[in-house]
Amino acid sequence: MKLKLMGKALYPLSLIIMVSFISGCMHTGGRTDKKEPTAAPDKVTLKVVQSLTTPQRTAQLRKLIEHFESVNPNISIELVSPDYETADEKILDMLENKRQVDIVEVRDITVHEYASHDLLASLENYIATWSNYMHLSENARLMARDFDNITYFIPSSLFQVQLYYRKDWFDAKALQVPETWEQLFFVGKQLTKPEIQQYGFAFRGGLGAASMLSSIIQDYNGDKVDANDSMFNTDGSTIFTGERAAEALELYRKIYVETAHPTSIDWGFKEQVEAFVDGKAAMLIQDSDVIATIQEKLKEGEWATAPLPTGPQDVSHYNVGAAGWGIAKQSGHKDEAWAFISYLSSQDNNRAFTDSTGVVSIYNDDYDVEKYSTGPYAPYMLMENNPIRFRGVKRPSQYTRYSEYYQMCTKAGRQFLQESISAKTLLKQFDDFWLRQRDAAGK
């Protein structure tokens, strides 16, 4: 599958330096010197810290680690799996305070902060001779070089959201799958029954709220959004000053108030997925890494997937995200760290990881075409084949203070949902923030 990102194409590079040690007997004047015994190299322990910790991801990583250690007896891997909601804070603390860490899981929403503060090692020298680099998908290479056109991490997986829905509930009420945000709201209301703890939509108002909040506003700006600078329209104004931006925000609040569980104002990834699989929510918008969990908890025929809802102009916007592995600047074992990263990033190992966790592979081949043409992944292909309606836009992570917006969407977004501030006030906060970021970037 080839999910399109907006941006310049990159020239393929290659990578990994192979070092051989050749030893033999020394011959001098017909005499053979006795070879001294060679001491075994010291064992190296690499500390690896996850960001996206889920049972499936951690289990598959441990399988790959076990095999890596069996073929690399002088390298041991210590895997640290922090809680999903606090992992990025923990990683940043370890990097900033030069704590003992060798490899960290880097995401498209964190790479700019880490790299701009010189917390990650460049991988350019390694990829220069790594043969697999040229076989990575275009999106994988674009994401790897998203900051300053320098490779600071090798993606292990790509992400794109789609709509998940309880097919059995829809069928029971003869409901059509929503194609617009308005339809999602109306269908969600029909499926909301608070008295039995059943709600129409698995809302996410906690960490990660920025995704849906940004998307619905972009969708209500229609075809005006700048694909390469997605907090702005092509005329230079921010999406938050669009004539229908306030309408989008009001619908966002109605979806929460009238179709979602009241506590979802604090929900993150884990809670919203649990609500869907536990029969407490009829619809969910999430990445494909939830597929493995859904397949484990729900039966075939109880759920299905669909393309994203659109705005009034029949346009929807999506990001392609990424997570992968980078080397901490303070690591004293960078070569060994690269050996492990390149091992995880081989085609076979990456395929095993993505198949077991449900995420999109960093490689493209015939296998992907078949995988993404049917079943729960099919909406991805449908969206890719309709680029006028479904438009890929770049997440604004090129701005070094993007993470502040991510936090604003949670804090100020909660105030808006609770009616402590108006749509006008929230839009003004976002507009001012992004105008300052553009000025600071010299655009």
Side-chain angles (χ1 to χ4, degrees):
M1 177 188 181
K2 193 173 184 181
L3 302 173
K4 299 286 186 179
L5 266 183
M6 304 311 224
K8 283 200 308 189
L10 303 174
Y11 290 102
L13 302 176
S14 25
L15 143 41
I16 213 175
I17 300 175
M18 301 294 295
V19 181
S20 351
F21 296 92
I22 302 175
S23 58
C25 294
M26 298 288 293
H27 297 275
T28 306
R31 179 178 59 84
T32 301
D33 291 339
K34 183 178 181 181
K35 184 181 176 181
E36 294 296 326
T38 302
D42 293 335
K43 190 165 187 175
V44 169
T45 297
L46 298 176
K47 179 175 280 190
V48 180
V49 184
Q50 280 185 270
S51 167
L52 300 176
T53 302
T54 67
Q56 292 85 359
R57 293 171 70 89
T58 302
Q60 185 59 35
L61 272 176
R62 291 197 182 283
K63 287 182 183 178
L64 292 170
I65 287 170
E66 183 179 356
H67 181 260
F68 176 81
E69 289 177 334
S70 71
V71 297
N72 293 275
N74 294 317
I75 302 177
S76 176
I77 304 296
E78 177 189 350
L79 182 64
V80 180
S81 304
D83 181 72
Y84 178 92
E85 304 295 339
T86 59
D88 290 333
E89 292 178 14
K90 181 179 180 68
I91 290 171
L92 182 60
D93 176 73
M94 296 179 80
L95 293 174
E96 286 185 328
N97 292 292
K98 309 299 181 188
R99 304 189 195 284
Q100 198 275 304
V101 61
D102 299 286
I103 298 171
V104 295
E105 190 167 18
V106 182
R107 302 166 63 189
D108 59 297
I109 62 173
T110 59
V111 63
H112 286 258
E113 183 172 17
Y114 298 166
S116 66
H117 289 90
D118 197 29
L119 302 177
L120 296 175
S122 167
L123 303 182
E124 291 295 320
N125 287 338
Y126 291 113
I127 65 171
T129 52
W130 184 44
S131 59
N132 277 347
Y133 189 80
M134 67 179 65
H135 301 298
L136 297 183
S137 69
E138 180 183 3
N139 281 338
R141 286 182 279 117
L142 285 169
M143 299 306 286
R145 302 176 69 89
D146 193 41
F147 181 77
D148 269 1
N149 202 28
I150 295 172
T151 300
Y152 284 102
F153 75 113
I154 301 297
S156 62
S157 47
L158 301 176
F159 302 93
Q160 183 185 332
V161 297
Q162 61 181 351
L163 177 67
Y164 299 81
Y165 66 97
R166 286 299 300 261
K167 187 176 185 301
D168 50 350
W169 298 6
F170 275 69
D171 290 347
K173 284 183 170 286
L175 295 172
Q176 295 293 314
V177 179
E179 296 185 359
T180 69
W181 285 107
E182 283 281 356
Q183 290 173 8
L184 183 145
F185 169 68
F186 287 118
V187 170
K189 280 195 69 173
Q190 295 180 65
L191 291 167
T192 296
K193 298 177 182 178
E195 66 276 10
I196 61 170
Q197 293 293 296
Q198 178 182 302
Y199 293 86
F201 187 70
F203 193 83
R204 182 176 183 174
L207 185 66
S211 179
M212 177 178 166
L213 196 156
S214 300
S215 292
I216 195 169
I217 294 175
Q218 287 169 339
D219 294 351
Y220 271 66
N221 277 268
D223 59 5
K224 298 176 183 178
V225 179
D226 186 335
N228 292 308
D229 204 359
S230 62
M231 294 295 102
F232 295 87
N233 287 322
T234 52
D235 65 3
S237 63
T238 73
I239 60 172
F240 307 104
T241 59
E243 59 184 23
R244 305 193 75 164
E247 182 183 349
L249 266 188
E250 295 296 350
L251 180 58
Y252 175 76
R253 181 158 57 191
K254 286 172 67 177
I255 291 172
Y256 164 67
V257 172
E258 300 184 43
T259 77
H261 195 287
T263 62
S264 64
I265 195 170
D266 298 316
W267 285 1
F269 172 84
K270 179 181 177 182
E271 293 82 6
Q272 65 168 172
V273 175
E274 286 178 349
F276 184 76
V277 299
D278 290 344
K280 295 178 181 178
M283 291 179 287
L284 167 72
I285 292 178
Q286 249 311 334
D287 300 309
S288 62
D289 58 345
V290 303
I291 290 175
T293 299
I294 296 173
Q295 288 175 327
E296 186 179 297
K297 298 291 183 69
L298 298 179
K299 298 175 183 176
E300 187 175 349
E302 290 184 332
W303 66 286
T305 57
L308 292 170
T310 66
Q313 285 189 346
D314 201 29
V315 172
S316 178
H317 300 83
Y318 66 86
N319 307 121
V320 175
W325 304 104
I327 299 176
K329 190 69 176 286
Q330 68 262 34
S331 172
H333 306 293
K334 292 184 175 65
D335 289 346
E336 292 87 351
W338 171 252
F340 182 58
I341 291 174
S342 61
Y343 164 82
L344 291 178
S345 306
S346 73
Q347 189 155 350
D348 287 344
N349 289 335
N350 180 255
R351 191 73 71 202
F353 179 77
T354 56
D355 283 351
S356 66
T357 58
V359 292
V360 178
S361 172
I362 58 175
Y363 292 93
N364 277 337
D365 58 22
D366 292 340
Y367 173 89
D368 291 297
V369 173
E370 181 179 351
K371 177 179 178 180
Y372 298 115
S373 295
T374 59
Y377 295 92
Y380 290 127
M381 197 67 76
L382 292 173
M383 289 190 284
E384 181 187 354
N385 291 335
N386 192 350
I388 301 301
R389 185 176 187 182
F390 301 101
R391 304 185 179 208
V393 295
K394 187 181 185 302
R395 201 188 303 271
S397 52
Q398 71 267 29
Y399 293 94
T400 55
R401 294 179 65 184
Y402 166 68
S403 60
E404 291 182 30
Y405 171 71
Y406 201 70
Q407 296 161 5
M408 283 175 65
C409 285
T410 301
K411 184 177 179 180
R414 181 181 287 113
Q415 293 175 328
F416 170 70
L417 293 171
Q418 294 173 327
E419 299 190 75
S420 298
I421 61 175
S422 66
K424 181 178 180 181
T425 298
L426 183 60
L427 290 170
K428 183 68 165 59
Q429 287 182 21
F430 290 152
D431 179 57
D432 289 345
F433 176 83
W434 283 109
L435 289 175
R436 289 197 304 272
Q437 303 322 302
R438 186 171 63 184
D439 288 345
K443 293 188 177 183

